[in-house]
Amino acid sequence: MLRRAAFALLLASAVAIAAGEAGRYQTRAEFLLESFGHENPPSDVVWIDEELRATAAKVLGHAPEMLRIRYWHDGARTAWILDEIGKEQPITFGVVVENAAIRHLRVMQFRESRGWEIRYPFFTDQFSQLRLTDSGTLSHGIDAISGATLSVKAATRSANFALVLDDYARRTRRNADNPR
Amino acid sequence: MTTQDVQGATPTTRARHWARRTHRVLGVSAALFLVLISASGLVLNHADALGLPRSAAGRWALTLYGIELPPIDSAFAANEVLFATVADTLYADGAEIAKGVGRLVGAMAIDPVIVVATADEFFITSSAAELIERYAPDAGGLMRALGTDGQRVFVELQHGYAELDPGQMSFVSMDALPGDNVQWSRPATPGIEQVEQLGAAALGLAINWERLLLDLHSGRILPAAGRYLADITALALLYMCFSGIVLWTRRRP
């Protein structure tokens, strides 16, 4: 009886570890399908100009590693796939913004050995409906996870930056649609 | 006081004589270490202001610590820029441009950009190797090679081929190539200087000046002997403190 209980406990632990390990949780096609209902929404790019570079340095704590960032859009909804380093390796986040508020955030790929707990809804649900404040920060704080502090910070920075990018993209599109 | 004088003196006088003598000998012996410890301590006290934690000590320091340069996993050249991966990081002419990168399968200059590919990602850079965009297509399989017919970019997949538009990042699969004039990217062999440059860049601040000075300060820069030498110096200094006080308080009027 004791041996069976020990075996069941071992099996449960192995399943729990396997379910939580680092890896690719969602492909881009799956993320876009979830976000827009189809895999091929129109895409566009935001070029990182001086204004965005300065804002990114404030929000992310470093300049973006790329000169342009691709996004997908449909009406008032935009989707962003952003890489942000947790401890040493980049974590890939998918952030969907609608009417200047986050609709949902997904951890698409996690490459480090610790901190993968941020992929679960109990954490990612905190980002829903967050907006940018006048000072450019998130409208609510994010609860930390013990042992995943750097991953939580990376997620928070990415969500904040996605809102900044959405705001910039909407302003750029509006200016292009209504030139003076 | 000579040694003969000491032999005929009282125990207190003899003790004072030996204290003075050992104080002098240890003082001279410890002087070099004192200078070293004082100078390194002074500099370490202002390490942040001097930028020491952010300053790599150089190749000689890596040799001193017995650290070998990490191997180059893959390398391709395009537009006279060497793209290479070392320890999951992509470098262009020794400058880091992305982390979490797999082995390269090719690099091609397609005016006005350079396309670099791994088995599952594209990196589009400017002709000066600034990263423009990183893109992972849902290719439905790993990419094996990168090629061009001079105008278009093609990749060889596990099953068939695909064409990439680096501007729109559209990725269209196809069963066969549209022509037979596709040139495939071939691996490059980095020179010795490039290997050293990449290795040093990959190790980065593994040994920075702050670390080096801290180890010099504590004696850890040498193997076990260094620590014992630092211990002996510390004990000698302690002895000198006490013997100095004793000699001062008990000196003759």
Side-chain angles (χ1 to χ4, degrees), chain B residues 137-170:
Chain B
D138 291 319
L142 297 178
M143 296 186 281
R144 287 176 160 177
L146 182 73
T148 179
D149 62 358
Q151 293 178 324
R152 294 171 293 177
V153 182
F154 298 99
V155 287
E156 183 190 343
L157 302 171
Q158 275 177 316
H159 304 289
Y161 300 90
E163 182 184 344
L164 170 81
D165 178 347
Q168 294 301 314
M169 285 301 186
S170 61

Side-chain angles (χ1 to χ4, degrees), chain B:
Chain B
M1 186 179 280
T2 64
T3 309
Q4 280 178 340
D5 294 338
V6 172
Q7 280 168 352
T10 62
T12 312
T13 313
R14 273 209 299 273
R16 191 183 297 132
H17 169 76
W18 283 111
R20 190 176 290 118
R21 196 164 175 176
T22 49
H23 188 89
R24 272 205 303 260
V25 171
L26 285 175
V28 172
S29 308
L32 174 69
F33 295 101
L34 262 179
V35 169
L36 203 66
I37 290 167
S38 307
S40 55
L42 200 64
V43 176
L44 280 169
N45 216 17
H46 303 278
D48 285 332
L50 294 169
L52 300 185
R54 300 179 298 281
S55 178
R59 177 74 201 273
W60 62 271
L62 299 174
T63 310
L64 182 71
Y65 279 79
I67 299 173
E68 290 185 4
L69 295 179
I72 296 172
D73 299 322
S74 56
F76 286 82
N79 206 27
E80 298 181 353
V81 177
L82 181 77
F83 293 91
T85 53
V86 182
D88 297 336
T89 304
L90 175 61
Y91 295 89
D93 276 347
E96 180 185 319
I97 58 173
K99 280 185 179 295
V101 180
R103 284 177 65 88
L104 300 181
V105 296
M108 284 274 171
I110 307 291
D111 194 42
V113 298
I114 300 174
V115 179
V116 183
T118 66
D120 56 3
E121 280 186 297
F122 288 110
F123 297 84
I124 312 299
T125 79
S126 66
S127 54
E130 296 167 293
L131 184 61
I132 295 174
E133 189 172 351
R134 180 179 185 168
Y135 184 81
D138 291 319
L142 297 178
M143 296 186 281
R144 287 176 160 177
L146 182 73
T148 179
D149 62 358
Q151 293 178 324
R152 294 171 293 177
V153 182
F154 298 99
V155 287
E156 183 190 343
L157 302 171
Q158 275 177 316
H159 304 289
Y161 300 90
E163 182 184 344
L164 170 81
D165 178 347
Q168 294 301 314
M169 285 301 186
S170 61
F171 192 76
V172 182
S173 299
M174 55 184 74
D175 293 331
L177 290 170
D180 56 0
N181 60 341
V182 175
Q183 299 290 314
W184 297 102
S185 177
R186 298 202 174 279
T189 307
I192 294 170
E193 275 186 23
Q194 289 169 317
V195 171
E196 291 209 348
Q197 184 189 30
L198 281 163
L203 288 170
L205 298 173
I207 304 295
N208 59 40
W209 276 105
E210 186 184 35
R211 165 88 184 270
L212 195 75
L213 281 173
L214 270 172
D215 288 349
L216 188 67
H217 192 73
S218 63
R220 286 189 173 84
I221 200 156
L222 297 173
R227 283 202 297 280
Y228 294 132
L229 206 59
D231 289 346
I232 292 167
T233 308
L235 288 172
L237 289 174
L238 280 173
Y239 174 81
M240 283 166 60
C241 289
F242 289 116
S243 60
I245 291 167
V246 169
L247 288 170
W248 174 263
T249 52
R250 295 190 180 175
R251 65 183 176 165
R252 287 177 186 150

